[in-house]
């Protein structure tokens, strides 16, 4: 089967075997395909190995546990090295995508019994600058997603729809607002800065607890920046001094415009954001693969 034009990985791991992209297949009865009944994880291999590898695998395991998929992620940690090697990406910058679904079963809403999980993963060449140079423009839109955004589900229709609204408005991101409070971006977490204090939504069921979010909170403590985990009201955005997004590929990205409010013009970056960008970039000189962020 010929794939449509696009940036596809050369090799795909599916349930214990590595295939070319053209030959990788899943069943039409896989519950990930039918229901979005699965969990995914995205991580980066950078200069010193996989960036916060343990943290990403811990979050994957935690999310699988949340939805009752009986699978131990340790089973694929060694397989990942084989996949990266087969993809000719050893010691090269790449993005790694992992997806675990409940498996193959007749289409019924209830969880099937005695079914093995389906596992798919790939590695794709992907480079990140030391500091994200994009001065982000974001729209504001209603957060109409479900009430378990803490689960990194493969069912991302709400995020996709809001992100498409941003693209249609020539913006980089969509910032979501639930009952008057800013929650997160369509594919990132959001932070605000006010009077030297860093403010971000608490890690509850209304946001995804990002790995980069957790890292940045730790960096704030290292830099003696007070962190307040509290939702910011949409009506208070204009009172904030700075804002930035965080994410695995977003890293730490300064926000220039949020809705109708302009934080900066002429490619400026706030002092707190700039210091966090610098501190975050310095982490790439370390081997962070086994750092435990307490996500299990």
């Amino acid at each position: 089967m010929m794939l449509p034009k696009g940036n596809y990985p050369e090799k795909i791991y599916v349930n214990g075997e590595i295939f070319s992209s053209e030959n990788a297949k899943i069943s039409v009865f896989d519950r990930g395909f039918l229901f979005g009944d699965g969990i995914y994880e995205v991580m980066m291999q950078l200069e010193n190995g996989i960036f916060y590898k343990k943290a990403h695998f811990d979050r994957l395991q935690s999310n699988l546990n949340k939805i009752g998929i009986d699978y131990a992620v340790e089973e694929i940690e060694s397989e990942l090295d084989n996949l990266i090697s087969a993809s000719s990406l050893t010691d090269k910058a790449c993005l790694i995508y992992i997806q675990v679904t409940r498996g193959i079963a007749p289409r019924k809403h209830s969880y099937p019994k005695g079914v093995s999980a389906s596992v798919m993963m790939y590695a794709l060449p992907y480079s990140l600058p030391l500091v994200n140079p994009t001065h982000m423009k974001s729209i504001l839109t209603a957060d109409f997603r479900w009430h378990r955004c803490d689960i990194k589900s493969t069912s991302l229709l709400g995020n996709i729809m809001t992100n498409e609204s941003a693209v249609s408005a020539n913006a980089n991101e969509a910032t979501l607002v639930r009952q008057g409070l800013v929650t997160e971006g369509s594919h990132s977490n959001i932070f605000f800065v006010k009077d030297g204090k860093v403010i971000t939504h608490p890690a509850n069921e209304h946001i995804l607890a990002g790995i980069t979010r957790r890292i940045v909170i730790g960096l704030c403590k290292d830099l003696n920046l007070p962190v307040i985990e509290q939702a910011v009201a949409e009506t208070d955005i204009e009172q904030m001094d700075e804002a930035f997004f965080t994410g695995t590929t977003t890293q730490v990205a300064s926000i220039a415009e949020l809705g109708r409010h302009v934080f900066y013009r002429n490619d400026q970056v706030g002092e707190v954001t700039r210091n966090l960008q610098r501190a975050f970039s310095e982490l790439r000189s370390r081997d962070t693969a086994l750092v435990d962020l307490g996500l299990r």
Side-chain angles (χ1 to χ4, degrees), residues 50-89:
I50 298 177
F51 197 61
Y52 286 89
K53 177 182 177 181
K54 175 175 170 53
H56 282 283
F57 271 108
D58 284 352
R59 181 172 65 175
L60 176 59
Q61 187 67 68
S62 175
N63 276 266
L64 290 169
N65 295 343
K66 285 180 181 181
I67 67 169
I69 292 181
D70 185 16
Y71 185 80
V73 298
E74 287 82 2
E75 295 182 29
I76 53 172
E77 287 198 49
S78 60
E79 299 286 356
L80 179 56
D81 292 335
N82 296 332
L83 172 65
I84 292 172
S85 177
S87 303
S88 301
L89 290 170

Side-chain angles (χ1 to χ4, degrees), residues 116-282:
S116 297
S118 295
V119 183
M120 183 273 285
M121 58 182 176
Y122 61 78
L124 185 70
Y126 197 107
S127 297
L128 291 176
L130 278 176
V131 173
N132 190 335
T134 306
H135 304 282
M136 304 283 274
K137 176 182 178 182
S138 177
I139 64 170
L140 288 167
T141 189
D143 190 346
F144 51 75
R145 302 170 301 165
W146 68 327
H147 288 277
R148 289 305 307 273
C149 298
D150 58 305
I151 296 174
K152 201 169 175 67
S153 165
T154 58
S155 180
L156 287 170
L157 186 57
N159 301 67
I160 290 167
M161 291 171 66
T162 52
N163 187 254
E164 182 60 23
S165 296
V167 172
S168 298
N170 294 316
N172 307 101
E173 176 62 299
T175 297
L176 310 179
V177 179
R178 188 187 295 258
Q179 296 182 339
L181 300 176
V182 176
T183 52
E184 60 184 345
S186 69
H187 59 290
S188 60
N189 291 122
I190 187 169
F191 288 75
F192 295 93
V193 180
K194 178 65 177 176
D195 297 331
K197 299 180 179 66
V198 178
I199 310 167
T200 191
H201 196 288
N204 59 20
E205 69 278 6
H206 288 152
I207 72 162
L208 178 70
I211 301 295
T212 308
R213 175 188 180 277
R214 180 72 68 94
I215 295 168
V216 166
I217 288 174
L219 291 174
C220 287
K221 294 176 181 177
D222 293 343
L223 296 172
N224 294 317
L225 294 169
V227 176
I228 302 171
E229 294 191 60
Q230 177 179 308
V232 170
E234 180 181 5
T235 53
D236 289 339
I237 289 174
E238 293 185 1
Q239 307 304 317
M240 299 294 116
D241 301 323
E242 305 173 33
F244 57 89
F245 290 119
T246 63
T248 297
T249 56
T250 302
Q251 302 172 280
V252 180
S254 174
I255 299 176
E257 297 182 34
L258 182 55
R260 296 181 179 180
H261 181 64
V262 177
F263 284 100
Y264 295 106
R265 299 190 188 277
N266 303 320
D267 297 339
Q268 292 177 297
V269 178
E271 181 181 359
V272 171
T273 302
R274 184 172 59 250
N275 288 340
L276 286 168
Q277 286 179 326
R278 184 183 301 114
F280 187 81
S281 70
E282 290 171 356

Side-chain angles (χ1 to χ4, degrees), residues 31 35 37 68 102-106 108-116:
R31 287 179 63 92
F35 294 115
D37 185 4
R102 203 173 301 276
I104 300 166
K108 293 182 180 180
H109 282 67
S110 59
Y111 294 173
K113 304 298 187 290
V115 172
S116 297

